[in-house]
Amino acid sequence: MKKIKIALAGNPNSGKTTVFNNLTGSRQHVGNYPGVTVERKEGKTIYQDYQIDIVDLPGTYSLTAYSIEERIARQVIIEEKPDYIVNIVDASNLERNLYLTMQLKELKVPLIVVLNMWDMVQHRGTEINIELFSKLINAPVISMSANKKLGHNNLLQLLTSETKTEGYKANLKMDNNIESYITKIVNKLEKDIPNARWIAIKLLEGDIEISKEIKSQESLNYVKEVLEDFYQKEGEDAETYIAEQRYGLISGICRKSVRSSIESRINFSDKVDMVLTHKLLGIPIFLGLMYLVFQLTFTLGDPLMGLIESAFGWLGGFISEVVFNSSGSLLESLIVDGVIGGVGGVIVFLPNILLLFLVLAFMEDTGYMARVSFIMDKLMNKIGLHGKSFIPMVIGFGCTVPAIMATRTLETRRDRLATILVTPLVSCSARLPIYALIIPAFFPAHLNAPILWIIYIIGIVLAIILAKILRSTVFKGETTPFVMELPPYRIPTFKSVFIHTWDRGGQYLKKAGTIILGISIVLWFLTTFPQIESFNQDYDLLTEQAYQDFITAENPDNEAYQQELVEIENMQQSETLAYTFAGRIGHFLQPVLKPMGFDWKIGTALIGAFAAKEVFVAQMGIVYSVGEADEESDALREQLRKNYNPLIAFSIMLFCLISAPCVATIAITKRETNSWGWALTQLGGLTILAWLITTIVYQSGLLLGIGIG
Amino acid sequence: MPLAFVKTGQKVVLSSIQAGWELKARMNSLGLIPGIEIEVIQNNNSGPFMIKIKDNKIALGRGIALKLFVQ
């Protein structure tokens, strides 16, 4: 089998990822480029007797050294020397997209141009003469409609055919004036340097990265002289001149090969934008949409959650009975309470989380997300953040870990750090299980959605305040310029939304399968050992007494009897748990927990929540011994209702919202900031903040008598 | 005149970008080069700017709109 390697290059929003998904299907691998934090997507496909390895380069508008993404794209092309660079071009937005193509031509790489979104071009009535276009741009060209899965075979055929890209080597010449400057610099460079013309162009553009690679100081001084000379003569810097030349070439090519029947159109996107980005309506519409999203998540997710719950309950019961004969052994407890109970408690929330991811993917793929950055930029600027900081924060609703990874689009470290530090305050989906457990237990049904909404809003408001404080103290300085393309609204394809959702859902499940499984076992251990041997009271005797009282009573009250039994059992459980490591840690923390209205049981669960927020639920289940067979959240809710009041319930949610981000967040913060200092600052700072705010809220609630009934 | 002072709905021509090479490169790659026609889609006198060049919509911070000079 013959092997070839290709790289996909293209603008963001050119449909590059759809092409990649279509070509590779599930044979994808996502990693990181060494040393930097840019995602590296690779995949492969088999076509006839060829194995085609595909690298999906980061989406870029150009090949300067403006962002890490552009530097990486450039580096892969130059250093890994793929057999072909497949440039995915949005044909419905040809001129802008070809700017990158021009730079790829300058690099003299074996180039294939794919005119994507061909269906849209045809729909609009634009005609592109592909043959002529190919001749003018001097590269093989094919058309494609990736979202309709049309045109991939043509690409594969071209890649594996013998025609190759020989014969397409010639440069696209700019005007004589700039070419003479290019030649001047080429002559000054070392004789055997590869890509000399390209390097000369980059030097004229003032590209710092390339300047660094030029060893000879003499050459650099010469370039400086040439640049000054150029500015004197042309009254314009060479960088701008070259950009104009590129666009000049592009418009020449388009004039000859593209015929557009409609001159200008007030299109659908403009009309939608008039409403969605309206200066007054924009933000309320966004908040309203988010509210609907949460409402929908709960309505659709609940029945599914019920199903999963029953399935795990059945599994636990089945294993208990069939494997262990309900012996009550330690191993049975480990497997049923620890493993099945713990992991089940997490997977149960998968429907809600997938639904949330689905909506986020939908918002991203329609183009609405970019508008959200736009309408939020003003507000974000006021708190000293960047419009682009908003997207990571929105992703933070899903999971803080990818959210922190998404801060890479921010160009300065100052903006990035401020965003990273406050993002954990945006309530991630792992905290959703906690709210989902607590809210229905303490608040009437019609208040469920509003309370959930309030919790999220509190997180957002706190993030804003904290950002403001950070930006006016530690991270003083100007915000970097906000520039962002607003792609036309598109109806997303089912496949791309699905892949998006599945990717993120997969990350969540992976966490459930690994970290949370491990943590569940550790917590089970902490809550089981050391085992108590002698109780303060003889509970068996108490039970016996209650029974005697019941049967000898004149008017036996069955209800009161049942309740007494439950109370005795609870006392016994409490004592058992109090004796364990977890209980001891909880007790040890009690002085700190008390001002917030928490008892040591909540304390033990919070220890679990530090490992991963959703563990709180599983842990409360274990603490209250409802993690056994036939586990229903309702049983736990019942226990919670008996032990706490709505004020405490709200305080729990508040504390979980603000406090120490999970271990994974700390780890990713360390990786992205490359500093333990920032990771630990985030951990300590947020925990202290959580304690302060929760204490204030709880104490005020007590004073005012709210929610203590 | 900086782009920031152009009202919603007006069309202007970009004459120069007063910025460092990095921001210039960024602007160039989005199609903002001298001589290009810019239509201001949204200018609320505060907050970001929405412009359209050749059917592309671009959001710009106010800071940048002060660095783009137009006629």
Side-chain angles (χ1 to χ4, degrees):
Chain A
M1 187 172 282
K2 286 174 241 175
K3 261 190 171 184
I4 52 173
K5 181 174 176 180
I6 66 168
L8 302 183
N11 286 7
N13 308 312
S14 61
K16 193 165 58 72
T17 307
T18 314
V19 177
F20 180 72
N21 288 338
N22 284 343
L23 286 175
T24 59
S26 56
R27 284 157 303 196
Q28 297 186 6
H29 172 77
V30 181
N32 258 352
Y33 287 97
V36 290
T37 43
V38 177
E39 231 171 46
R40 183 186 172 102
K41 274 177 132 178
E42 280 173 296
K44 63 177 163 209
T45 187
I46 307 287
Y47 184 76
Q48 288 166 356
D49 56 343
Y50 279 89
Q51 179 187 322
I52 305 173
D53 293 319
I54 306 166
V55 184
D56 188 17
L57 296 175
T60 61
Y61 295 106
S62 121
L63 289 179
T64 53
Y66 181 77
S67 64
I68 312 175
E69 282 77 14
E70 292 186 10
R71 278 199 290 265
I72 291 288
R74 195 154 99 172
Q75 203 178 324
V76 172
I77 293 171
I78 295 171
E79 284 170 18
E80 297 184 18
K81 296 193 175 58
D83 297 305
Y84 296 100
I85 306 294
V86 178
N87 179 202
I88 312 293
V89 164
D90 173 0
S92 68
N93 186 0
L94 199 53
E95 298 199 20
R96 221 277 318 286
N97 272 255
L98 288 179
Y99 192 71
L100 177 67
T101 315
M102 289 295 127
Q103 296 180 58
L104 290 168
K105 280 301 292 178
E106 286 160 17
L107 252 175
K108 282 205 155 185
V109 289
L111 183 69
I112 291 173
V113 176
V114 173
L115 294 175
N116 193 20
M117 317 229 178
W118 192 250
D119 50 334
M120 228 144 88
V121 173
Q122 286 179 317
H123 177 73
R124 274 194 203 164
T126 308
E127 280 171 46
I128 303 177
N129 181 340
I130 292 189
E131 209 178 311
L132 183 59
F133 180 77
S134 160
K135 205 184 268 170
L136 293 167
I137 203 132
N138 201 15
V141 176
I142 58 161
S143 62
M144 187 180 279
S145 302
N147 55 347
K148 292 191 175 146
K149 289 190 162 184
L150 295 172
H152 297 96
N153 275 332
N154 292 347
L155 175 62
L156 292 171
Q157 235 159 45
L158 187 63
L159 286 170
T160 52
S161 71
E162 296 302 316
T163 19
K164 310 279 173 185
T165 47
E166 302 292 327
Y168 290 103
K169 288 246 165 102
N171 296 317
L172 297 173
K173 284 257 187 311
M174 304 189 205
D175 71 5
N176 290 336
N177 188 14
I178 190 80
E179 287 291 342
S180 75
Y181 282 94
I182 294 172
T183 315
K184 265 188 203 168
I185 293 185
V186 168
N187 290 338
K188 199 74 186 172
L189 293 171
E190 289 162 58
K191 286 287 161 282
D192 50 350
I193 200 163
N195 278 332
R197 181 172 184 270
W198 182 73
I199 289 173
I201 293 173
K202 287 291 140 190
L203 289 172
L204 283 169
E205 285 187 298
D207 190 306
I208 288 172
E209 290 291 307
I210 299 294
S211 307
K212 276 188 210 151
E213 279 171 34
I214 304 293
K215 304 265 159 15
S216 141
Q217 190 57 42
E218 194 205 333
S219 302
L220 286 177
N221 288 340
Y222 181 73
V223 170
K224 222 173 167 183
E225 271 170 44
V226 170
L227 283 176
E228 270 162 31
D229 178 48
F230 187 94
Y231 191 78
Q232 292 282 317
K233 281 188 186 144
E234 304 299 325
E236 185 172 45
D237 57 80
E239 184 188 8
T240 308
Y241 196 92
I242 291 171
E244 286 173 311
Q245 285 293 315
R246 288 186 188 127
Y247 280 110
L249 284 169
I250 292 168
S251 92
I253 292 168
C254 291
R255 219 174 20 244
K256 286 177 195 149
S257 58
V258 181
R259 186 165 301 150
S260 175
S261 53
I262 318 156
E263 273 299 296
S264 176
R265 58 226 149 70
I266 295 231
N267 57 34
F268 172 73
S269 284
D270 288 349
K271 283 184 200 153
V272 178
D273 267 342
M274 281 205 256
V275 181
L276 292 185
T277 62
H278 188 274
K279 63 174 169 178
L280 297 176
L281 296 176
I283 293 176
I285 289 175
F286 169 69
L287 291 179
L289 281 175
M290 287 316 280
Y291 181 81
L292 277 181
V293 166
F294 294 132
Q295 194 70 271
L296 185 82
T297 306
F298 266 65
T299 322
L300 289 179
D302 267 356
L304 292 169
M305 279 170 65
L307 279 179
I308 297 179
E309 245 169 25
S310 326
F312 271 94
W314 177 85
L315 183 68
F318 178 81
I319 289 181
S320 221
E321 255 170 59
V322 175
V323 183
F324 298 101
N325 270 325
S326 302
S327 61
S329 68
L330 270 179
L331 188 63
E332 177 189 342
S333 168
L334 169 66
I335 304 262
V336 177
D337 296 340
V339 178
I340 297 178
V343 174
V346 173
I347 292 184
V348 124
F349 297 99
L350 196 63
N352 273 354
I353 282 154
L354 284 180
L355 281 166
L356 207 59
F357 281 151
L358 189 79
V359 179
L360 283 177
F362 187 80
M363 278 167 67
E364 237 169 75
D365 288 2
T366 49
Y368 181 58
M369 206 73 114
R371 270 72 183 182
V372 174
S373 293
F374 173 78
I375 54 176
M376 287 299 179
D377 185 59
K378 186 179 166 190
L379 214 67
M380 298 303 275
N381 252 310
K382 281 209 178 118
I383 59 172
L385 289 180
H386 201 274
K388 278 188 196 163
S389 303
F390 197 71
I391 288 186
M393 291 170 98
V394 173
I395 295 175
F397 286 120
C399 178
T400 315
V401 174
I404 288 178
M405 281 154 66
T407 59
R408 290 167 193 168
T409 52
L410 287 156
E411 280 120 21
T412 63
R413 189 170 165 80
R414 215 173 37 221
D415 288 335
R416 272 198 77 189
L417 275 176
T419 312
I420 288 174
L421 291 181
V422 304
T423 298
L425 286 169
V426 176
S427 195
C428 68
S429 56
R431 277 167 268 190
L432 195 57
I434 304 175
Y435 315 143
L437 171 77
I438 289 177
I439 293 177
F442 290 94
F443 303 95
H446 69 279
L447 283 181
N448 284 358
I451 294 223
L452 182 66
W453 189 74
I454 287 171
I455 288 282
Y456 275 84
I457 296 294
I458 291 176
I460 295 166
V461 170
L462 281 174
I464 289 171
I465 297 172
L466 189 62
K468 180 88 193 159
I469 295 172
L470 285 174
R471 282 292 271 134
S472 50
T473 53
V474 206
F475 305 121
K476 258 191 194 153
E478 289 272 302
T479 39
T480 43
F482 174 71
V483 193
M484 192 170 198
E485 193 195 359
L486 301 174
Y489 288 103
R490 285 190 186 124
I491 296 169
T493 62
F494 176 76
K495 187 169 179 175
S496 92
V497 171
F498 179 78
I499 287 182
H500 245 110
T501 310
W502 191 244
D503 265 4
R504 291 189 188 149
Q507 283 175 20
Y508 176 83
L509 270 188
K510 221 186 252 168
K511 208 167 111 189
T514 53
I515 301 178
I516 294 169
L517 177 63
I519 302 292
S520 297
I521 292 170
V522 170
L523 287 177
W524 172 83
F525 178 84
L526 288 177
T527 49
T528 310
F529 296 100
Q531 286 184 306
I532 193 163
E533 267 153 29
S534 62
F535 290 98
N536 289 335
Q537 299 180 61
D538 190 338
Y539 293 103
D540 292 342
L541 191 68
L542 283 175
T543 313
E544 180 64 29
Q545 258 170 17
Y547 176 69
Q548 289 298 336
D549 290 348
F550 176 63
I551 51 165
T552 54
E554 273 175 32
N555 294 317
D557 182 348
N558 191 33
E559 210 170 293
Y561 169 61
Q562 291 298 334
Q563 203 175 337
E564 200 181 346
L565 285 186
V566 171
E567 266 163 32
I568 294 169
E569 205 190 307
N570 271 351
M571 285 194 300
Q572 185 174 11
Q573 269 172 19
S574 289
E575 207 187 324
T576 312
L577 189 66
Y579 194 76
T580 63
F581 292 118
R584 289 171 202 203
I585 299 172
H587 276 293
F588 176 74
L589 291 176
Q590 213 163 18
V592 195
L593 297 172
K594 215 165 170 235
M596 299 188 286
F598 298 173
D599 60 12
W600 61 273
K601 288 182 178 176
I602 298 173
T604 35
L606 287 175
I607 296 164
F610 167 61
K613 294 277 178 182
E614 57 270 54
V615 171
F616 182 87
V617 174
Q619 181 66 350
M620 283 307 261
I622 294 171
V623 169
Y624 280 106
S625 300
V626 291
E628 287 165 5
D630 195 28
E631 187 216 76
E632 286 277 345
S633 274
D634 277 342
L636 182 52
R637 285 180 183 144
E638 185 63 36
Q639 288 288 338
L640 293 177
R641 250 196 307 275
K642 232 181 272 166
N643 289 280
Y644 309 112
N645 58 38
L647 178 62
I648 297 178
F650 191 79
S651 300
I652 293 174
M653 292 193 287
L654 203 55
F655 188 83
C656 289
L657 167 71
I658 311 166
S659 73
C662 67
V663 172
T665 302
I666 300 294
I668 200 82
T669 301
K670 192 261 155 191
R671 205 182 80 189
E672 296 287 316
T673 58
N674 207 9
S675 139
W676 272 113
W678 286 119
L680 295 176
T681 306
Q682 186 184 46
L683 168 64
L686 289 176
T687 307
I688 293 166
L689 184 71
W691 186 85
L692 283 174
I693 292 179
T694 312
T695 302
I696 291 169
V697 168
Y698 179 71
Q699 297 298 335
S700 320
L702 273 188
L703 272 177
L704 300 170
I706 301 169
I708 50 175
Chain B
M1 171 176 66
L3 180 67
F5 301 118
V6 180
K7 294 205 171 59
T8 303
Q10 287 187 336
K11 286 183 185 173
V12 288
V13 173
L14 182 66
S15 50
S16 69
I17 301 171
Q18 306 292 332
W21 74 272
E22 282 172 307
L23 186 57
K24 255 188 208 169
R26 178 69 162 177
M27 296 287 107
N28 291 340
S29 68
L30 285 167
L32 283 155
I33 50 164
I36 198 93
E37 191 184 64
I38 300 176
E39 185 186 344
V40 176
I41 304 281
Q42 214 185 93
N43 179 1
N44 299 328
N45 296 319
S46 66
F49 232 76
M50 200 194 285
I51 59 168
K52 199 172 183 182
I53 41 168
K54 296 198 173 171
D55 278 354
N56 285 318
K57 263 189 213 163
I58 296 167
L60 295 176
R62 189 146 290 270
I64 295 180
L66 284 164
K67 291 175 181 159
L68 298 176
F69 284 77
V70 296
Q71 285 166 351

